[in-house]
Amino acid sequence: MGDEKSFESLILGCQSKAYNIAIRYLKNEEDAMDALQESFIKIFRHLKSFKEDSRFDTWVYRIVVNTCNDILRKNSTRKTTDSIFRSEDDKETVIEIPDSSGSPEEVFDKKEKSEFIVACMDKLSQDQREIIILRDIQGFSYDEISEILKCSVGTVKSRINRSRLKLREIMMEQNL
Amino acid sequence: MKCNEIRELLSLYIDQMLDDNQRSDVEKHLSGCEACQKEYDDLNEFHLLLNEMEPVPVPDAFELRLKQALKEEKKRMNGFGGPIRSLFTNKQYRMVASVAAVFAVGILTLGVYQDVLGDFADKLNFVRQDGTEQAAPSDAEADLYGSSSGMDADSGNDIKNDDMNNKLDNLDDQIQMSTESNDQEMRYQADRNDEGSATPMQKNAPVKKEFAVAVPERASGNAGGSDSTAPSDEAYYEAGGAAPSDGVDAADENAKEKEISYGALAQDESRPKSKAGLSGESCSRSLTASSVERNTAAVQYYMNLIEERLDGFDYQVLNSGYAQTGTWNFKIFIFRGKDGNTYNEEILIIGKDGKIEVICSNEITGL
């Protein structure tokens, strides 16, 4: 413990996914980097307390998720993010989604649809949004999500289903 | 299965989390229910869309930020609170730190409160008492030294305490400093020992302390001894028992006078100077042994006899010593005899019962 370089190489495998969790949670690059840095420092500090019987990566993602939730709680007292149709100068909700698959029209269509879904996700509660990020965007398995969120797989199942149904409902409302 | 039941299973169906029976039930229902099929299509579509979203690359700046942050964290961990903090979890550390902070504030408050109440004066008294208590052992120490040296002077007991020796050495320094102003200073060593190798007796012999005192009239004709081994006209001192060259000659006929006390030579002019150089009570007690003081006249008397005997000699009185047996010993260095021959010999003159006796290992003309 304590060697920064070996820690950096250890954390490198989780870095991209951790950053993407953070940017989906916090929706802007600067906050995401702050959250990631804070999370990694926490991990560096408490590396000794990591239990080897659990998976290192899920432990890292749990810390990232908790850190993001802390930041969101703090931010919620300062600003309200209740509208999915923000003013044009509020660019932070728009995340560039690179996609190289399909024809240009298809790419544009997919990209537009994805952005729309992501925008609709803002209407979900944080719990619902969180589970969509972890399952649909990041592709974590039910077991992994139960590890990250420290809840049962049954809870994960019902939460995923409810969140998706809710998101669809929101999308349908927005399409009208 | 009803639509509500199917809706509960749609996500699990999409994520392939259903067993074969459930999956076939869902598929059967979906093929016959347009609304549920539409719902499934919508859910599956956005699931796929979200899942296909390309990951956002980590900004390049992050690597540098993390490096810097880790470096600072490492420094913090190694610095103040690091090792202590590592013993506790975050919550425990906060608790321990809080308790420590409360104690610290409490102690500070108590201190301020007492000061405001005027307890400060009491505290000063306390400090003074402390000072007295601290001083007390030093006094006792001084008394101890004083009495032991007094005993030494009176009964010739050994002084083996290193501290005491150091103390006496310091006093010697002071005395020497007080006499250095005099151009014609010489040393009288109250050590009766002849030159010779140190014998075991040396260790058992009483500690010999000596003073360097100014005897202007004695040095007047003797200054400028060319022999490097001869004492110079510059005052010096040596600890009689400690100097390797100061051995006790067991064969010395005065070996019985092992217990010798040492003191300043009875040179009226210099004695006050020596005394002035003493800084404390214990110093005067330890160095100006009463027996020596009482014999001042005797020393003067013997010195006069020695002067008469050594008239015409080029010599220097090195030191003197008084033995409890009533004997005075004078160690004298003869540079030249009255015949003009160079001797560079050390002789011993013993003064007893008003007479002096010269003891020298080699014959010196005229003695």
Side-chain angles (χ1 to χ4, degrees):
Chain A
M1 150 121 194
D3 182 36
E4 301 114 278
K5 279 190 180 164
S6 56
F7 175 76
E8 278 176 66
S9 54
L10 178 74
I11 209 80
L12 197 64
C14 312
Q15 188 169 285
S16 178
K17 207 158 192 172
Y19 176 73
N20 275 271
I21 293 171
I23 204 158
R24 295 299 169 191
Y25 267 73
L26 302 170
K27 297 177 282 184
N28 82 74
E29 192 178 284
E30 199 54 40
D31 284 354
M33 281 206 285
D34 284 347
L36 202 60
Q37 182 181 312
E38 196 181 324
S39 305
F40 286 2
I41 293 297
K42 281 180 193 169
I43 292 160
F44 181 66
R45 196 181 293 156
H46 299 289
L47 209 52
K48 268 199 288 191
S49 63
F50 168 68
K51 289 168 190 160
E52 287 181 12
D53 55 344
S54 57
R55 274 172 56 179
F56 179 71
D57 56 349
T58 50
W59 181 61
V60 169
Y61 300 138
R62 187 167 74 242
I63 290 169
V64 173
V65 164
N66 290 340
T67 307
C68 289
N69 281 328
D70 286 344
I71 291 172
L72 284 174
R73 265 194 294 275
K74 283 175 199 165
N75 288 352
S76 68
T77 59
R78 282 180 290 176
K79 58 183 178 184
T80 52
T81 54
D82 56 348
S83 173
I84 59 164
F85 299 107
R86 296 179 181 212
S87 58
E88 282 191 1
D89 58 317
D90 193 359
K91 301 275 188 193
E92 68 176 23
T93 52
V94 181
I95 299 162
E96 292 297 316
I97 304 160
D99 196 336
S100 55
S101 60
S103 67
E105 293 77 20
E106 282 175 338
V107 169
F108 180 78
D109 192 39
K110 273 175 122 177
K111 191 177 175 183
E112 204 176 358
K113 276 183 181 172
S114 299
E115 283 176 7
F116 173 71
I117 298 163
V118 169
C120 287
M121 279 170 62
D122 283 344
K123 284 293 230 180
L124 292 170
S125 71
Q126 183 50 34
D127 281 1
Q128 292 166 339
R129 202 169 152 267
E130 177 176 63
I131 209 107
I132 297 288
I133 291 170
L134 295 176
R135 174 61 201 149
D136 293 315
I137 299 178
Q138 301 302 329
F140 286 116
S141 71
Y142 283 57
D143 285 336
E144 286 169 335
I145 294 168
S146 83
E147 271 290 304
I148 293 167
L149 298 180
K150 280 284 164 196
C151 60
S152 69
V153 175
T155 306
V156 173
K157 283 178 184 175
S158 61
R159 274 181 66 182
I160 288 175
N161 198 51
R162 250 184 285 129
S163 301
R164 281 177 178 162
L165 292 174
K166 181 68 183 170
L167 182 60
R168 178 177 177 268
E169 198 181 302
I170 293 165
M171 286 164 69
M172 288 177 76
E173 281 171 13
Q174 297 301 325
N175 264 340
L176 287 174
Chain B
M1 285 178 93
K2 291 178 183 172
C3 288
N4 278 348
E5 288 171 324
I6 293 296
R7 285 186 85 216
E8 290 299 313
L9 297 173
L10 278 181
S11 280
L12 292 172
Y13 179 66
I14 290 166
D15 294 326
Q16 297 173 348
M17 293 287 289
L18 295 175
D19 58 39
D20 291 347
N21 288 338
Q22 286 174 316
R23 194 173 61 243
S24 65
D25 286 347
V26 170
E27 283 170 352
K28 233 184 259 177
H29 181 89
L30 290 179
S31 60
C33 178
E34 202 176 322
C36 285
Q37 181 65 45
K38 175 77 172 89
E39 192 156 24
Y40 164 75
D41 290 342
D42 288 348
L43 292 180
N44 197 39
E45 187 190 16
F46 80 66
H47 165 71
L48 292 172
L49 279 170
L50 290 176
N51 199 241
E52 282 170 8
M53 278 166 64
E54 287 288 314
V56 182
V58 181
D60 294 340
F62 181 71
E63 196 183 340
L64 210 67
R65 276 179 59 164
L66 181 65
K67 269 192 200 325
Q68 188 63 32
L70 285 172
K71 203 179 279 180
E72 280 169 20
E73 177 64 16
K74 182 85 184 287
K75 217 181 281 175
R76 198 194 61 78
M77 283 164 82
N78 292 337
F80 177 74
I84 297 169
R85 191 172 180 145
S86 64
L87 296 174
F88 304 102
T89 64
N90 243 5
K91 274 186 185 172
Q92 285 173 333
Y93 181 77
R94 268 183 230 138
M95 203 167 72
V96 169
S98 305
V99 170
V102 167
F103 268 99
V105 168
I107 288 163
L108 280 173
T109 312
L110 191 67
V112 170
Y113 181 68
Q114 282 185 343
D115 281 354
V116 169
L117 279 185
D119 198 33
F120 192 62
D122 289 344
K123 239 187 278 175
L124 279 180
N125 279 337
F126 178 72
V127 169
R128 213 173 292 131
Q129 281 166 6
D130 272 359
T132 313
E133 279 169 17
Q134 280 172 2
S138 339
D139 285 344
E141 213 173 25
D143 284 340
L144 182 66
Y145 290 150
S147 58
S148 63
S149 56
M151 274 172 67
D152 186 50
D154 294 335
S155 62
N157 282 350
D158 290 2
I159 302 166
K160 291 177 180 176
N161 191 319
D162 286 345
D163 288 343
M164 183 62 187
N165 287 341
N166 291 336
K167 204 164 190 170
L168 291 174
D169 285 345
N170 290 338
L171 291 171
D172 286 341
D173 281 338
Q174 290 172 8
I175 293 162
Q176 189 184 2
M177 282 171 69
S178 73
T179 57
E180 268 176 0
S181 58
N182 195 324
D183 287 335
Q184 297 169 317
E185 287 164 345
M186 59 189 300
R187 184 197 57 163
Y188 291 149
Q189 188 177 21
D191 191 346
R192 59 163 187 79
N193 299 328
D194 289 331
E195 235 180 24
S197 61
T199 65
M201 279 184 71
Q202 186 182 350
K203 282 180 184 170
N204 299 325
V207 174
K208 303 157 194 67
K209 297 306 299 180
E210 58 186 337
F211 302 159
V213 292
V215 188
E217 66 272 26
R218 298 305 313 157
S220 58
N222 303 323
S226 58
D227 193 325
S228 62
T229 59
S232 71
D233 56 352
E234 209 178 335
Y236 65 94
Y237 75 100
E238 62 181 46
S245 61
D246 287 332
V248 176
D249 189 353
D252 193 311
E253 65 179 78
N254 293 312
K256 61 180 183 294
E257 301 165 5
K258 276 182 285 185
E259 294 173 342
I260 302 173
S261 62
Y262 304 91
L265 268 184
Q267 182 56 255
D268 290 337
E269 195 180 321
S270 63
R271 199 161 12 111
K273 273 189 180 177
S274 302
K275 275 195 148 181
L278 300 170
S279 58
E281 200 191 339
S282 62
C283 306
S284 60
R285 273 205 298 271
S286 62
L287 293 176
T288 52
S290 55
S291 57
V292 175
E293 294 283 323
R294 280 197 298 273
N295 286 290
T296 301
V299 171
Q300 189 62 52
Y301 171 78
Y302 287 125
M303 286 299 292
N304 288 337
L305 287 181
I306 290 167
E307 266 183 72
E308 280 172 27
R309 177 72 71 89
L310 297 177
D311 186 37
F313 282 81
D314 187 3
Y315 68 97
Q316 191 176 41
V317 180
L318 298 179
N319 55 45
S320 73
Y322 174 72
Q324 289 297 299
T325 51
T327 306
W328 276 94
N329 304 299
F330 299 90
K331 199 186 273 183
I332 293 163
F333 195 85
I334 306 289
F335 297 101
R336 270 198 310 272
K338 18 181 199 188
D339 53 2
N341 291 333
T342 302
Y343 288 97
N344 287 340
E345 288 259 348
E346 206 174 280
I347 62 162
L348 183 71
I349 293 181
I350 297 164
K352 194 177 180 186
D353 303 327
K355 292 176 188 171
I356 55 169
E357 188 188 346
V358 178
I359 296 167
C360 45
S361 46
N362 296 315
E363 195 177 295
I364 296 173
T365 312
L367 287 180

